[in-house]
Amino acid sequence: MNREKILDYLYGEMAPDEKVVFEKTIAINAVLQKEIDEFQMVREYLGQSKDQTGSPIQMVVNAPVRRNLWNRWWTVAASLLLLLMAGKFLDLRVTIDQHQLSIGYGNLQSVSVDPNLELQQQYVMLGKSLGDLQSQLASYQEMVSHPEQTLPSGQKVDMRELAKMVGNMVEKEQETTENRLAEKILEDQQIAIQSMAQGLIRYWDEQRKNDLQMINTGMENLVRAVQMNSQDLTQFVNNTQQNY
Amino acid sequence: MINQETSTSIDLVQRLRKGEAGAYQKIVDQWQNRVFNFALRYSNDQHFASEVVQKTFIQVFEKIDQLKDPSKLKSWLYKIASNNCCSEGRLKAKSNYTQLEEQNLHTLDLDTPAKRYEKAELKTVVEEVLQQIPDEQRQVIIMKEYEGLKFREIAEILGESENTIKSRMYYGLDAMRKILINKNLSKDLYHE
């Protein structure tokens, strides 16, 4: 009885009126008082470790994606659609009727499981069917890896020739593209050279005019200077003759 | 009257059930430190605690549809963590004090070196003593002392009666009291 009350009192889970009565009991009971004091001491020790907290070393929990049922059904529907499309190309057949699910392709015999059989027999049938299907798929894989293939139209194709043809087409296209690119570069270069030549001609023309003007001015100045010098020379000669 | 924590729990559980990954992340963010500390005190081993956190939140995600009352998320979460502590505890060896001491070095403490040393010693002693009492008593003491759960809540989490829980608590505290007295750790020494 005391055990539960001690704990309720220590952890403050005692009703107020009950607490008053209990405290009166403690006051007159030295053994109970000692017990409560010692329990309180243990709690104080435990409290020393209260800040001893941490967090996970790493964030180890990642939020996984929780898909609801609706999404799952859409996934199934999409898978079936994909299977039917693949079946169209690979001549794969999936047949579902009232009693059987059959999967097969080409002219090979289809495999089936009859749900009316006993469960154990169904497992045996399913195992056999899966084995058959596996061997069919293996033969299909071998067929696909063969260099000579027959298209659904019946036309025979040599895969090596086809690869060569595609390679040639790619190479030719690449060559054409390179040629087009080279032509464009040449055209651009020609335009740039023409533009530069025209600019030079304009510059030279202007320069020539300036040079001519300068030469003419120089010539005029020279003629004038010569004339002046000639007058001076005549005067000098006359003066000299007069002195001698 | 529904408190803030309960209404948040209800909302998060409902959103998680609808498949919202954000709701799961919020539950993890809100609870991972508490679960970690609970497991750390139970085991005194950081790797153990990390394992428990990981397992607990994976189970929360996987079994959220099994939670009948979304307002009981807290109790349910502790129940899973508590079960994981028990199952993990059976597999792994207990106690690795080195890691806890290493962690202490990173906490800001303005005490003198001597006082710091004394406190660290005391913590180590308390953790050692806690590890010496039976698992079921330790679990109840941790939930009560460190997680602040009511006796009623602990009883709900552990699927026991309130009286059984109080009984475990009493015997747990009593066992710790005896060990501490045997170690000559009196209240006077603690208050020095």
Side-chain angles (χ1 to χ4, degrees), chain A residues 3-4 7-8 11 13 35 38 43 45-46 48-52 54-55 59 61 64 66, chain B residues 16 24 28 33 37 41 61 65 103-104 123 127 144-146 163 166 169-171 177 186 190:
Chain A
R3 191 189 300 163
E4 287 163 23
L7 290 172
D8 284 342
Y11 289 96
E13 290 190 29
E35 194 176 10
E38 286 179 353
R43 288 201 65 203
Y45 274 117
L46 285 166
Q48 281 294 297
S49 187
K50 262 189 180 157
D51 59 341
Q52 188 74 59
S55 49
M59 178 57 202
V61 182
R66 187 181 169 88
Chain B
L16 180 57
Y24 179 71
V28 172
N33 282 354
N37 287 321
R41 287 196 169 102
F61 176 75
D65 292 329
Q103 193 189 28
N104 283 342
K123 278 178 191 173
E127 281 148 17
K144 187 71 201 163
E145 281 291 337
Y146 300 116
N163 282 346
K166 282 180 180 170
M169 184 81 197
Y170 181 88
Y171 285 119
R177 178 179 66 93
S186 70
Y190 161 65

Side-chain angles (χ1 to χ4, degrees), chain B residues 130-158:
Chain B
L130 203 51
Q131 296 301 315
Q132 287 175 37
I133 63 172
D135 287 357
E136 55 182 22
Q137 291 170 14
R138 183 166 70 251
Q139 213 168 31
V140 175
I141 289 177
I142 293 167
M143 283 181 180
K144 187 71 201 163
E145 281 291 337
Y146 300 116
E147 304 305 317
L149 298 173
K150 300 234 175 257
F151 287 118
R152 180 183 43 78
E153 289 177 309
I154 301 172
E156 196 179 295
I157 290 165
L158 298 176

Side-chain angles (χ1 to χ4, degrees), chain A residues 155-213:
Chain A
Q155 190 186 354
K156 285 190 185 298
V157 177
D158 188 325
M159 294 304 283
R160 287 167 301 190
E161 284 298 320
L162 188 65
K164 204 172 167 183
M165 198 171 79
V166 171
N168 286 339
M169 280 171 68
V170 170
E171 202 175 331
K172 199 173 174 184
E173 178 60 27
Q174 196 176 358
E175 199 179 335
T176 312
T177 309
E178 280 172 8
N179 286 343
R180 276 188 201 141
L181 194 65
E183 280 173 14
K184 182 78 173 66
I185 291 168
L186 196 64
E187 195 181 329
D188 288 348
Q189 280 177 348
Q190 282 175 347
I191 290 169
I193 289 167
Q194 277 177 4
S195 168
M196 198 166 70
Q198 283 169 356
L200 276 171
I201 289 166
R202 271 198 301 274
Y203 171 77
W204 286 333
D205 195 39
E206 288 292 318
Q207 195 69 20
R208 192 177 55 86
K209 282 179 185 169
N210 289 340
D211 289 346
L212 278 174
Q213 196 176 357

